[in-house]
Amino acid sequence: MTFTSFQFGVFVAIVFGVYYLPSLRSFQVPLLVLASVFFYGFGQPELLPLLLVAVLGTHLCLALAFDNRTFWMPAGIVFNLGLLAFFKYKFLFVDAAAAHLTGSAPIDFLLRLPLPIGISFFVFHNISLLVDLTREKRTVRLREVFLYIIFFPQLVSGPITRAAQFMPQIVPKRLGDVAFVEAAKWILVGYFFKLYVANNLNEMTSYMDFPLYETLRTQDRWLLVFLYSYQIYADFFGYSAIALGLGLLFGYRLPVNFNLPYISISFSEFWTRWHISLSSWLRTYLYIPLGGNRHGPARTCLNLMIVMTLGGLWHGASLSYALWGMAHGFLLVIERPFLKLLGDRSPAVRVIRMGVVFFCVTMLWIFFKLPNFDHALSYLKGMFMATDAPNPPKLFTNLALLYALPVIIQHAGIGALIEGRLRRWEPYLYGALAALACLEAGPDSTFIYFQF
């Protein structure tokens, strides 16, 4: 069972209305915790005990780590990574289709539990909590731990907020302090990119899936790869924007997760603009502890490859995800010696570098879209060989451009223009975005944003 957009709107309105009642100000944190538990349980009620185990286990390790950080902080990290590994990667080692997985009924029951929504995100939150708070020697109450880990706007798909950023914000909130205009802008933009751009492009890029891609012409395969590049950005950016807006409504400022990644002129810049909270988490809690760039060029390159490969596997348990991350690591490695030599002062050089980065990133999305490695290779092979599909699907190029255009316009700098010369037209623009999101929403518009 999942929230529809209408149900989710009612849910947010009720929580918001109760949250700011003056008589309940001291209960704001417990109220948000209960709302977040309800939000999570509405989709996967059978996995609420797991969420409870994850939070209580992390809190226990946190409390013990204040006395013995050397042992209990790593123990808490291993506990959380164990949960992630069990649920996300268990079927790399057991056959999901087997009638009896191990022969032991309790173990088989655990193995057949579905993948918990958002486990990758709340495990990373748990690890940040253990590292940041034990470093600062800052104790927190259990309800604050619950709120940080399961705060519903970011619970299932991020952005990943570091404990050091979120915990100081847990103070009583007043209705007069809510940034309503900013929150509304983020929510409107998020729903527009999710419903109008991503959902409509998804109708076309679904032909990239196996076996539908076998009916595509060569030129259509190329078109769909670039459309998927726009779609996945709109999907993730749209969700993150909604989460930011919802966070602001309840007095919490979540980190900006995307900053026009497709205008990057290097792969290292791309990863400072794409899924910023994940990149920052990997840098802080993995790359730097591995040694970062402090032990010479060879070790730096190895660290980059390790971090990006693990970042790929974090998205899913398949060879394609691992190779996607590994390929990005390889690109980061090979560009490092040339960054200072290439320069970026000439507009022509910047445009060329931007095009190269965008092309490489787009081509690698094939492995993200098709987690089955054989399917990804087959799709890629068909892009460079003439295909003779007898009845290829008709892709409407004009519609494709229409749905991709918002991403292109956004990356062309329309935001800066609106904040400057066209500021007086801003209300009309946001009104148009709301109208398009409602009137031209894609076919999945009845489902709330956390489903993708």
Side-chain angles (χ1 to χ4, degrees):
M1 184 182 294
T2 55
F3 274 111
T4 66
S5 295
F6 175 75
Q7 289 172 332
F8 183 71
V10 172
F11 165 76
V12 172
I14 292 173
V15 176
F16 180 84
V18 177
Y19 181 76
Y20 283 107
L21 288 174
S23 58
L24 296 179
R25 185 168 294 141
S26 59
F27 297 97
Q28 287 179 332
V29 172
L31 174 66
L32 277 185
V33 170
L34 289 175
S36 299
V37 169
F38 175 80
F39 174 79
Y40 193 85
F42 195 83
Q44 287 187 319
E46 71 277 15
L47 290 176
L48 276 176
L50 169 68
L51 189 65
L52 185 65
V53 167
V55 176
L56 292 178
T58 300
H59 183 260
L60 176 62
C61 290
L62 177 66
L64 295 171
F66 286 118
D67 295 325
N68 187 354
R69 187 175 192 263
T70 305
F71 177 81
W72 285 108
M73 187 193 75
I77 293 173
V78 169
F79 165 71
N80 278 283
L81 292 178
L83 285 177
L84 180 64
F86 177 80
F87 281 97
K88 202 157 190 175
Y89 308 109
K90 58 189 175 184
F91 291 121
L92 292 176
F93 307 99
V94 296
D95 182 9
H100 302 285
L101 298 176
T102 64
S104 171
I107 296 177
D108 285 357
F109 171 78
L110 291 175
L111 288 172
R112 293 193 187 281
L113 284 175
L115 177 68
I117 297 173
I119 188 171
S120 298
F121 291 92
F122 67 71
V123 161
F124 273 20
H125 277 103
N126 292 353
I127 293 173
S128 174
L129 186 82
L130 288 163
V131 175
D132 289 0
L133 297 191
T134 55
R135 182 187 295 137
E136 298 173 3
K137 297 188 180 299
R138 176 183 175 183
T139 58
V140 292
R141 289 176 290 184
L142 179 60
R143 65 182 188 180
E144 294 174 340
V145 172
F146 262 98
L147 179 61
Y148 166 65
I149 295 173
I150 68 172
F151 184 41
F152 77 88
Q154 64 178 14
L155 172 59
V156 293
S157 291
I160 303 167
T161 309
R162 291 179 56 180
Q165 298 170 329
F166 189 88
M167 287 298 182
Q169 299 187 60
I170 304 179
V171 294
K173 311 294 184 183
R174 297 179 182 273
L175 185 62
D177 297 329
V178 177
F180 282 106
V181 174
E182 186 181 0
K185 287 180 180 179
W186 278 115
I187 293 172
L188 274 174
V189 168
Y191 269 105
F192 171 75
F193 273 87
K194 181 69 180 77
L195 299 181
Y196 176 83
V197 180
N199 284 4
N200 282 306
L201 287 179
N202 181 62
E203 277 296 283
M204 298 182 180
T205 59
S206 62
Y207 283 101
M208 291 180 68
D209 296 329
F210 177 82
L212 295 177
Y213 66 72
E214 295 181 341
T215 66
L216 294 172
R217 298 174 299 175
T218 300
Q219 60 267 35
D220 289 337
R221 293 193 185 212
W222 280 94
L223 172 64
L224 289 178
V225 168
F226 284 94
L227 292 182
Y228 182 70
S229 192
Y230 294 126
Q231 178 213 322
I232 194 170
Y233 167 78
D235 232 336
F236 287 129
F237 169 76
Y239 170 80
S240 297
I242 296 169
L244 260 67
L246 290 175
L248 288 172
L249 284 181
F250 293 96
Y252 293 89
R253 187 169 290 274
L254 305 180
V256 174
N257 216 17
F258 292 87
N259 181 23
L260 308 180
Y262 290 154
I263 63 170
S264 303
I265 61 173
S266 67
F267 300 104
S268 56
E269 182 185 354
F270 175 81
W271 283 105
T272 64
R273 292 174 174 271
W274 177 275
H275 212 324
I276 301 169
S277 64
L278 173 61
S279 303
S280 176
W281 194 98
L282 291 172
R283 181 180 184 275
T284 302
Y285 301 108
L286 188 56
Y287 178 67
I288 292 177
L290 284 172
N293 57 1
R294 301 189 302 274
H295 301 291
R299 178 66 178 274
T300 299
C301 293
L302 176 62
N303 291 340
L304 285 171
M305 292 296 297
I306 292 172
V307 169
M308 295 308 297
T309 302
L310 292 177
L313 283 172
W314 176 80
H315 287 89
S318 77
L319 180 59
S320 281
Y321 285 125
L323 288 176
W324 174 80
M326 194 181 301
H328 272 283
F330 179 71
L331 292 172
L332 289 171
V333 167
I334 62 173
E335 79 168 0
R336 283 181 68 84
F338 303 103
L339 286 177
K340 293 182 179 179
L341 299 176
L342 292 173
D344 59 0
R345 294 182 181 179
S346 167
V349 172
R350 288 184 63 86
V351 170
I352 293 171
R353 290 180 61 181
M354 196 183 304
V356 170
V357 172
F358 176 68
F359 177 80
C360 292
V361 167
T362 296
M363 293 297 287
L364 288 177
W365 284 132
I366 296 172
F367 296 95
F368 203 91
K369 172 67 173 173
L370 299 169
N372 184 300
F373 183 64
D374 292 333
H375 296 166
L377 282 184
S378 176
Y379 188 96
L380 191 61
K381 181 180 178 182
M383 295 175 68
F384 297 93
M385 295 178 58
T387 57
D388 53 354
N391 295 302
K394 181 172 178 57
L395 301 179
F396 295 94
T397 309
N398 291 339
L399 274 180
L401 177 61
L402 187 65
Y403 295 136
L405 198 58
V407 178
I408 298 170
I409 292 174
Q410 184 196 39
H411 281 72
I414 187 66
L417 189 62
I418 291 172
E419 291 177 0
R421 301 180 196 176
L422 302 181
R423 191 173 186 83
R424 60 176 179 163
W425 297 101
E426 192 177 45
Y428 302 102
L429 173 64
Y430 282 98
L433 296 184
L436 284 172
C438 293
L439 298 175
E440 294 293 332
D444 297 327
S445 59
T446 54
F447 295 103
I448 193 54
Y449 54 90
F450 71 72
Q451 269 221 299
F452 65 83

